[in-house]
Amino acid sequence: MTSDPADDIAAALAKLRGRRPRPPFGPDEHHHHPHSHGGPWGRGAPPWTDPSHGRFGGPARLRMLDALVAASDALSVSEIAEAVGVDQPRASRLVQQATQMGLVAREPDPDDARRTRVRLTPEGEKLISSFRGRRRDAVRSALESFTEAERADLARLLAKFAEAWPRD
């Protein structure tokens, strides 16, 4: 069975999001996010806002959850900082906030008792799964006017582009 081009495109877009250059004017919260008043989820709040928790936060927090999903094991704060594209103090704050919300949990590092590792909780998995579903639905909607061949070509080319995108 071949994969769904919409899933492949959504995955390539997510990969590119994690590699985008950081803005020169400061952390994510201090600038307008292009989807804060619209986008594929409507005029309401963006998907990283969870009504049961209040505002979850900006794109950096979402990238942190994405990194934890993509990891095969729990990550250190340093590994999260690298994956998200922020400095270690910012990564620590992201982890602390997500811990308070019940989205991630800290656990002892089995190799170094002085360190902790971070993993998603079931609540965090539920939130990121919801967002990924919305992203996939948005991609499918955008692809409605494409032919099957165009969808497959776009998925292939975008995956190749994302793979070649500079990592720093």
Side-chain angles (χ1 to χ4, degrees), residues 34-127:
H35 301 296
S36 59
H37 296 293
W41 42 85
R43 288 207 44 85
W48 50 82
T49 301
D50 184 334
S52 67
H53 293 298
R55 180 153 166 58
F56 172 60
R61 290 181 186 93
L62 187 59
R63 288 193 309 273
M64 177 185 68
L65 295 179
D66 262 334
L68 288 167
V69 167
S72 59
D73 202 0
L75 298 176
S76 69
V77 174
S78 298
E79 291 167 329
I80 289 171
E82 184 177 327
V84 173
V86 298
D87 61 21
Q88 191 158 349
R90 172 93 166 106
S92 292
R93 288 190 303 274
L94 291 170
V95 169
Q96 181 60 37
Q97 292 162 351
T99 300
Q100 290 170 344
M101 298 170 81
L103 300 174
V104 302
R106 292 178 184 259
E107 55 190 34
D109 186 325
D111 299 325
D112 185 348
R114 298 169 296 174
R115 296 177 53 179
T116 61
R117 300 192 63 74
V118 180
R119 66 169 173 74
L120 278 176
T121 62
E123 184 70 20
E125 290 173 3
K126 181 178 159 188
L127 178 67

Side-chain angles (χ1 to χ4, degrees), residues 130-152:
S130 170
F131 175 73
R132 285 180 166 185
R134 289 178 186 170
R135 181 170 45 202
R136 195 171 25 256
D137 290 347
V139 168
R140 283 192 178 111
S141 176
L143 292 174
E144 284 179 357
S145 67
F146 285 58
T147 66
E148 286 287 326
E150 289 171 331
R151 289 178 188 150

